[in-house]
Amino acid sequence: TTETNGAAIYARHATKINVINSTFANNTANANGGGIYMNGPGYYSNILNLVSSTVAGNTAAAGAQIYSNGKGALNIANSIIVGDGGVDAIADASATSEYKFQGNNFVGNVAEGYTATDTDNISADNTFEAIFGDNTLAANGTITPEKFVTGMAPAAIASIVAAESWSYTVDSAVDQLGTARTASTSNGALAITNTTTGIESVADNAANDADGAWYTLQGMRLSERPAAKGIYIHNGRKVLVR
């Protein structure tokens, strides 16, 4: 807990922050940036590379998970950034920061009118409860998500790290606990395998919609019952629409 900004990381006049396979949880800033605070005035331009990490359940007056005080660049990939309440998960004091979401994320609401694409997985519906349920920080420093989205393949993670020229060796093929990542394990700091198996019901396009939301196999919530043929998640089951 801090009385001011950046309860977990406070980066003032930094040039680059590289974070991978890490969990930031349960931190509180009485001002801004419960998880990470970036301050880049004058000639300093902060860059935050956040890869395969979880920033969740932190609290602050603004930017409960990440707050940028202008002139920052946020490059986020294969990560989970969510909190609860009406505070934006990511906020920017002056709307001058550059957001670069590189896929396979779960991100809560982003301030300053950021317009997300479907592949960004950015939504005000992505709250701590929606992603983690009742799960909390475990003794090993991780939180297990209940909602599954397929994470990046290790080769894709390695490509992003290489493109940003990280100054230290990164093992992109493992998670926070050293567990191997694959093309079918989840995003965030903890790589888990989807336990949903089998097609448990079949639907056709003439059937009445059931209560509950529809999701793609990648965990994307749909606004309505899908019309396109394929396999979806509905009411906790895999459903074949044909």
Side-chain angles (χ1 to χ4, degrees), residues 19-27 52-56 58 80 128 132 135-145 175-178 181 188-191:
V19 180
I20 190 169
N21 290 340
S22 300
T23 296
F24 300 83
N26 303 343
N27 303 287
S52 300
S53 293
T54 297
V55 186
N58 304 289
I80 301 173
F128 187 98
F132 296 101
N135 293 334
T136 57
L137 189 68
N140 63 10
T142 64
I143 312 174
T144 302
D175 70 357
Q176 182 173 327
L177 302 180
R181 293 186 184 274
L190 187 64

CSV table of all heavy atoms in Angstrom, one decimal, residues 19-27 52-56 58 80 128 132 135-145 175-178 181 188-191:
chain,number,residue,atom,x,y,z
A,19,VAL,N,8.6,-6.7,-18.1
A,19,VAL,CA,8.0,-7.6,-17.2
A,19,VAL,C,7.5,-8.8,-17.9
A,19,VAL,O,6.7,-8.7,-18.9
A,19,VAL,CB,6.9,-7.0,-16.4
A,19,VAL,CG1,6.3,-7.9,-15.4
A,19,VAL,CG2,7.4,-5.7,-15.7
A,20,ILE,N,7.8,-10.0,-17.4
A,20,ILE,CA,7.3,-11.3,-18.0
A,20,ILE,C,7.1,-12.3,-16.9
A,20,ILE,O,7.8,-12.2,-15.9
A,20,ILE,CB,8.3,-11.8,-19.1
A,20,ILE,CG1,7.6,-13.0,-19.8
A,20,ILE,CG2,9.6,-12.3,-18.5
A,20,ILE,CD1,8.4,-13.4,-21.1
A,21,ASN,N,6.1,-13.1,-17.0
A,21,ASN,CA,5.8,-14.2,-16.1
A,21,ASN,C,5.7,-13.7,-14.7
A,21,ASN,O,6.3,-14.3,-13.7
A,21,ASN,CB,6.9,-15.3,-16.2
A,21,ASN,CG,6.8,-16.1,-17.5
A,21,ASN,OD1,5.8,-16.1,-18.2
A,21,ASN,ND2,8.0,-16.7,-17.9
A,22,SER,N,4.9,-12.7,-14.4
A,22,SER,CA,4.9,-12.1,-13.1
A,22,SER,C,3.4,-11.8,-12.7
A,22,SER,O,2.6,-11.6,-13.6
A,22,SER,CB,5.6,-10.8,-13.1
A,22,SER,OG,7.0,-11.0,-13.4
A,23,THR,N,3.1,-11.8,-11.4
A,23,THR,CA,1.8,-11.5,-10.9
A,23,THR,C,1.9,-10.3,-10.0
A,23,THR,O,2.7,-10.3,-9.1
A,23,THR,CB,1.2,-12.7,-10.2
A,23,THR,OG1,1.0,-13.8,-11.1
A,23,THR,CG2,-0.1,-12.4,-9.5
A,24,PHE,N,1.0,-9.3,-10.2
A,24,PHE,CA,0.8,-8.2,-9.3
A,24,PHE,C,-0.6,-8.2,-8.8
A,24,PHE,O,-1.5,-8.1,-9.6
A,24,PHE,CB,1.1,-6.9,-10.1
A,24,PHE,CG,2.4,-6.7,-10.7
A,24,PHE,CD1,2.7,-7.3,-12.0
A,24,PHE,CD2,3.4,-6.0,-10.1
A,24,PHE,CE1,4.0,-7.2,-12.5
A,24,PHE,CE2,4.7,-5.9,-10.7
A,24,PHE,CZ,5.0,-6.5,-11.9
A,25,ALA,N,-0.8,-8.4,-7.5
A,25,ALA,CA,-2.1,-8.5,-7.0
A,25,ALA,C,-2.2,-7.9,-5.6
A,25,ALA,O,-1.2,-7.9,-4.8
A,25,ALA,CB,-2.5,-10.0,-7.0
A,26,ASN,N,-3.4,-7.4,-5.3
A,26,ASN,CA,-3.8,-7.0,-3.9
A,26,ASN,C,-3.0,-5.8,-3.5
A,26,ASN,O,-2.8,-5.6,-2.3
A,26,ASN,CB,-3.6,-8.1,-2.9
A,26,ASN,CG,-4.4,-9.3,-3.2
A,26,ASN,OD1,-5.3,-9.3,-4.0
A,26,ASN,ND2,-4.0,-10.5,-2.7
A,27,ASN,N,-2.5,-5.0,-4.4
A,27,ASN,CA,-1.8,-3.7,-4.0
A,27,ASN,C,-2.8,-2.5,-4.0
A,27,ASN,O,-3.7,-2.5,-4.8
A,27,ASN,CB,-0.6,-3.4,-5.0
A,27,ASN,CG,0.4,-4.6,-5.1
A,27,ASN,OD1,1.1,-4.8,-4.1
A,27,ASN,ND2,0.3,-5.4,-6.1
A,52,SER,N,2.9,-12.0,-20.8
A,52,SER,CA,2.6,-13.3,-20.0
A,52,SER,C,2.6,-13.0,-18.5
A,52,SER,O,3.2,-13.7,-17.7
A,52,SER,CB,3.7,-14.3,-20.3
A,52,SER,OG,3.7,-14.6,-21.7
A,53,SER,N,1.8,-11.9,-18.2
A,53,SER,CA,1.7,-11.6,-16.8
A,53,SER,C,0.3,-11.3,-16.3
A,53,SER,O,-0.6,-11.2,-17.2
A,53,SER,CB,2.6,-10.3,-16.5
A,53,SER,OG,3.9,-10.6,-16.7
A,54,THR,N,0.1,-11.2,-15.0
A,54,THR,CA,-1.3,-11.0,-14.5
A,54,THR,C,-1.2,-9.8,-13.5
A,54,THR,O,-0.4,-9.8,-12.6
A,54,THR,CB,-1.7,-12.2,-13.7
A,54,THR,OG1,-1.9,-13.3,-14.6
A,54,THR,CG2,-3.1,-12.0,-13.0
A,55,VAL,N,-2.0,-8.8,-13.8
A,55,VAL,CA,-2.1,-7.6,-13.0
A,55,VAL,C,-3.6,-7.5,-12.6
A,55,VAL,O,-4.4,-7.2,-13.4
A,55,VAL,CB,-1.7,-6.3,-13.7
A,55,VAL,CG1,-1.7,-5.1,-12.8
A,55,VAL,CG2,-0.3,-6.5,-14.3
A,56,ALA,N,-3.9,-7.9,-11.4
A,56,ALA,CA,-5.3,-8.1,-11.1
A,56,ALA,C,-5.6,-7.9,-9.6
A,56,ALA,O,-4.8,-8.1,-8.7
A,56,ALA,CB,-5.7,-9.6,-11.4
A,58,ASN,N,-5.9,-5.1,-8.0
A,58,ASN,CA,-5.2,-4.0,-7.3
A,58,ASN,C,-6.3,-2.8,-7.3
A,58,ASN,O,-7.2,-2.8,-8.1
A,58,ASN,CB,-4.0,-3.5,-8.1
A,58,ASN,CG,-3.0,-4.7,-8.3
A,58,ASN,OD1,-2.4,-5.0,-7.3
A,58,ASN,ND2,-2.9,-5.2,-9.5
A,80,ILE,N,-3.2,-10.7,-18.4
A,80,ILE,CA,-4.5,-10.5,-17.8
A,80,ILE,C,-4.4,-9.2,-16.9
A,80,ILE,O,-3.6,-9.2,-16.0
A,80,ILE,CB,-5.0,-11.7,-16.9
A,80,ILE,CG1,-5.1,-13.0,-17.8
A,80,ILE,CG2,-6.3,-11.4,-16.3
A,80,ILE,CD1,-5.3,-14.2,-16.9
A,128,PHE,N,-12.4,-8.8,-12.2
A,128,PHE,CA,-11.7,-9.9,-11.5
A,128,PHE,C,-12.6,-11.1,-11.3
A,128,PHE,O,-12.2,-12.2,-11.5
A,128,PHE,CB,-11.3,-9.3,-10.1
A,128,PHE,CG,-10.4,-10.3,-9.3
A,128,PHE,CD1,-9.0,-10.2,-9.4
A,128,PHE,CD2,-11.0,-11.3,-8.6
A,128,PHE,CE1,-8.2,-11.1,-8.7
A,128,PHE,CE2,-10.2,-12.2,-7.9
A,128,PHE,CZ,-8.8,-12.1,-7.9
A,132,PHE,N,-11.6,-14.6,-12.6
A,132,PHE,CA,-11.0,-15.5,-11.6
A,132,PHE,C,-12.1,-16.1,-10.6
A,132,PHE,O,-11.7,-17.0,-9.8
A,132,PHE,CB,-10.0,-14.7,-10.7
A,132,PHE,CG,-8.8,-14.3,-11.5
A,132,PHE,CD1,-8.7,-13.0,-11.9
A,132,PHE,CD2,-7.8,-15.2,-11.8
A,132,PHE,CE1,-7.6,-12.5,-12.6
A,132,PHE,CE2,-6.7,-14.8,-12.5
A,132,PHE,CZ,-6.6,-13.4,-13.0
A,135,ASN,N,-11.5,-17.3,-6.8
A,135,ASN,CA,-10.0,-17.6,-6.6
A,135,ASN,C,-9.3,-16.3,-6.2
A,135,ASN,O,-9.5,-15.2,-6.7
A,135,ASN,CB,-9.4,-18.2,-7.9
A,135,ASN,CG,-10.0,-19.5,-8.2
A,135,ASN,OD1,-10.5,-20.2,-7.3
A,135,ASN,ND2,-9.9,-19.9,-9.5
A,136,THR,N,-8.3,-16.5,-5.2
A,136,THR,CA,-7.5,-15.4,-4.8
A,136,THR,C,-6.0,-15.8,-4.9
A,136,THR,O,-5.7,-16.9,-5.3
A,136,THR,CB,-7.8,-15.1,-3.3
A,136,THR,OG1,-7.6,-16.3,-2.5
A,136,THR,CG2,-9.3,-14.6,-3.1
A,137,LEU,N,-5.2,-14.9,-4.5
A,137,LEU,CA,-3.7,-15.1,-4.6
A,137,LEU,C,-3.3,-16.3,-3.8
A,137,LEU,O,-3.6,-16.4,-2.6
A,137,LEU,CB,-3.0,-13.9,-4.2
A,137,LEU,CG,-1.5,-13.8,-4.4
A,137,LEU,CD1,-1.2,-13.8,-5.9
A,137,LEU,CD2,-0.8,-12.7,-3.7
A,138,ALA,N,-2.7,-17.3,-4.4
A,138,ALA,CA,-2.2,-18.5,-3.7
A,138,ALA,C,-0.9,-18.3,-3.1
A,138,ALA,O,-0.2,-17.3,-3.3
A,138,ALA,CB,-2.2,-19.7,-4.7
A,139,ALA,N,-0.4,-19.2,-2.3
A,139,ALA,CA,0.8,-19.1,-1.6
A,139,ALA,C,2.0,-19.1,-2.6
A,139,ALA,O,3.1,-18.6,-2.2
A,139,ALA,CB,1.0,-20.3,-0.6
A,140,ASN,N,1.8,-19.7,-3.8
A,140,ASN,CA,2.9,-19.7,-4.7
A,140,ASN,C,3.0,-18.4,-5.6
A,140,ASN,O,3.7,-18.3,-6.5
A,140,ASN,CB,2.8,-20.9,-5.6
A,140,ASN,CG,1.5,-20.9,-6.5
A,140,ASN,OD1,0.8,-20.0,-6.5
A,140,ASN,ND2,1.3,-22.1,-7.1
A,141,GLY,N,2.1,-17.4,-5.2
A,141,GLY,CA,2.2,-16.1,-5.9
A,141,GLY,C,1.4,-16.0,-7.2
A,141,GLY,O,1.7,-15.1,-8.0
A,142,THR,N,0.5,-17.0,-7.4
A,142,THR,CA,-0.3,-16.9,-8.7
A,142,THR,C,-1.8,-16.9,-8.3
A,142,THR,O,-2.2,-17.3,-7.2
A,142,THR,CB,0.0,-18.1,-9.6
A,142,THR,OG1,-0.4,-19.3,-8.9
A,142,THR,CG2,1.5,-18.2,-9.9
A,143,ILE,N,-2.6,-16.5,-9.3
A,143,ILE,CA,-4.0,-16.6,-9.2
A,143,ILE,C,-4.5,-17.5,-10.4
A,143,ILE,O,-4.1,-17.2,-11.6
A,143,ILE,CB,-4.7,-15.3,-9.3
A,143,ILE,CG1,-4.1,-14.3,-8.4
A,143,ILE,CG2,-6.2,-15.4,-9.0
A,143,ILE,CD1,-4.6,-12.9,-8.5
A,144,THR,N,-5.3,-18.5,-10.1
A,144,THR,CA,-5.8,-19.4,-11.2
A,144,THR,C,-7.1,-18.8,-11.8
A,144,THR,O,-8.1,-18.7,-11.1
A,144,THR,CB,-6.1,-20.8,-10.6
A,144,THR,OG1,-4.9,-21.3,-10.0
A,144,THR,CG2,-6.5,-21.7,-11.8
A,145,PRO,N,-7.1,-18.5,-13.1
A,145,PRO,CA,-8.3,-18.0,-13.8
A,145,PRO,C,-9.3,-19.1,-13.9
A,145,PRO,O,-9.0,-20.3,-14.2
A,145,PRO,CB,-7.8,-17.5,-15.1
A,145,PRO,CG,-6.5,-18.2,-15.4
A,145,PRO,CD,-5.9,-18.5,-14.0
A,175,ASP,N,5.9,-20.6,-17.7
A,175,ASP,CA,5.1,-19.6,-17.0
A,175,ASP,C,5.9,-19.2,-15.7
A,175,ASP,O,7.0,-19.5,-15.5
A,175,ASP,CB,3.7,-20.1,-16.8
A,175,ASP,CG,3.7,-21.2,-15.7
A,175,ASP,OD1,4.7,-21.7,-15.2
A,175,ASP,OD2,2.5,-21.7,-15.4
A,176,GLN,N,5.1,-18.5,-14.9
A,176,GLN,CA,5.7,-18.0,-13.6
A,176,GLN,C,6.3,-19.1,-12.8
A,176,GLN,O,7.3,-18.9,-12.0
A,176,GLN,CB,4.7,-17.2,-12.8
A,176,GLN,CG,5.2,-16.6,-11.5
A,176,GLN,CD,4.1,-15.7,-10.9
A,176,GLN,OE1,3.4,-15.1,-11.6
A,176,GLN,NE2,4.1,-15.6,-9.6
A,177,LEU,N,5.7,-20.3,-12.8
A,177,LEU,CA,6.2,-21.4,-12.0
A,177,LEU,C,7.1,-22.4,-12.7
A,177,LEU,O,7.5,-23.4,-12.2
A,177,LEU,CB,5.0,-22.2,-11.5
A,177,LEU,CG,3.9,-21.4,-10.6
A,177,LEU,CD1,2.8,-22.3,-10.2
A,177,LEU,CD2,4.6,-20.7,-9.4
A,178,GLY,N,7.5,-22.0,-13.9
A,178,GLY,CA,8.3,-22.9,-14.7
A,178,GLY,C,7.6,-23.9,-15.5
A,178,GLY,O,8.3,-24.8,-16.1
A,181,ARG,N,4.7,-23.7,-21.4
A,181,ARG,CA,3.6,-23.1,-22.2
A,181,ARG,C,3.5,-23.8,-23.5
A,181,ARG,O,4.6,-24.3,-24.1
A,181,ARG,CB,3.9,-21.6,-22.5
A,181,ARG,CG,3.8,-20.7,-21.2
A,181,ARG,CD,3.9,-19.3,-21.6
A,181,ARG,NE,4.0,-18.4,-20.4
A,181,ARG,CZ,3.0,-17.9,-19.8
A,181,ARG,NH1,1.7,-18.3,-20.2
A,181,ARG,NH2,3.1,-17.2,-18.7
A,188,GLY,N,-1.8,-15.1,-19.4
A,188,GLY,CA,-1.5,-14.6,-18.0
A,188,GLY,C,-0.2,-15.3,-17.5
A,188,GLY,O,0.5,-16.0,-18.2
A,189,ALA,N,0.1,-15.0,-16.2
A,189,ALA,CA,1.3,-15.5,-15.6
A,189,ALA,C,1.3,-17.0,-15.4
A,189,ALA,O,2.4,-17.7,-15.3
A,189,ALA,CB,1.5,-14.8,-14.2
A,190,LEU,N,0.1,-17.6,-15.3
A,190,LEU,CA,0.0,-19.0,-15.0
A,190,LEU,C,-0.6,-19.7,-16.2
A,190,LEU,O,-1.7,-19.5,-16.6
A,190,LEU,CB,-1.0,-19.2,-13.8
A,190,LEU,CG,-1.1,-20.6,-13.2
A,190,LEU,CD1,0.2,-21.1,-12.7
A,190,LEU,CD2,-2.2,-20.6,-12.1
A,191,ALA,N,0.2,-20.6,-16.8
A,191,ALA,CA,-0.3,-21.4,-17.9
A,191,ALA,C,-1.0,-22.6,-17.5
A,191,ALA,O,-0.5,-23.5,-16.9
A,191,ALA,CB,0.9,-21.8,-18.8
